[in-house]
C-alpha cells in the first residue's frame, strides 16, 4: 500500500496488550521487533498487574485502510 496521501483511507487504531511473566513479555517484544512489526520503544513501560510475578505492556498501532 502506498504511503502517499489518499483521501479514501481512514486511520484505524489497534491496541496490543502483552501480559505474563517479565521474561515472556520481553521475549515477545523482542520477537515482534525481530519480525519488523514493532520497535521496543513503542511499547509502554512494563507495569506489574494484580497477579504476583506478572507484568503488562501495551502497543498502539494505526492502520490506514479504505
Amino acid at each position: 500500500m502506498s504511503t502517499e496521501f489518499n483521501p479514501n483511507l481512514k486511520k484505524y487504531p489497534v491496541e496490543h496488550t502483552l501480559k505474563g511473566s517479565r521474561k515472556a513479555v520481553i521475549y515477545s517484544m523482542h520477537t515482534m521487533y525481530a519480525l519488523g512489526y514493532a520497535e521496543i520503544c513503542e511499547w509502554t513501560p512494563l507495569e506489574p498487574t494484580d497477579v504476583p510475578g506478572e507484568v503488562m505492556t501495551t502497543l498502539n498501532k494505526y492502520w490506514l485502510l479504505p
Side-chain angles (χ1 to χ4, degrees):
M1 184 180 294
S2 173
T3 57
E4 297 177 26
F5 177 73
N6 182 337
N8 297 321
L9 298 180
K10 285 179 57 178
K11 200 174 185 181
Y12 290 89
V14 176
E15 181 179 86
H16 302 283
T17 301
L18 297 176
K19 286 173 65 174
S21 70
R22 181 179 182 84
K23 187 174 185 176
V25 168
I26 291 172
Y27 179 81
S28 298
M29 292 166 66
H30 284 268
T31 299
M32 289 187 203
Y33 171 76
L35 293 170
Y37 184 73
E39 297 289 325
I40 300 300
C41 64
E42 293 179 283
W43 293 94
T44 60
L46 297 179
E47 293 190 25
T49 68
D50 294 337
V51 177
E54 184 179 73
V55 297
M56 73 176 278
T57 182
T58 59
L59 165 73
N60 291 307
K61 283 283 194 183
Y62 297 89
W63 301 107
L64 292 175
L65 303 170

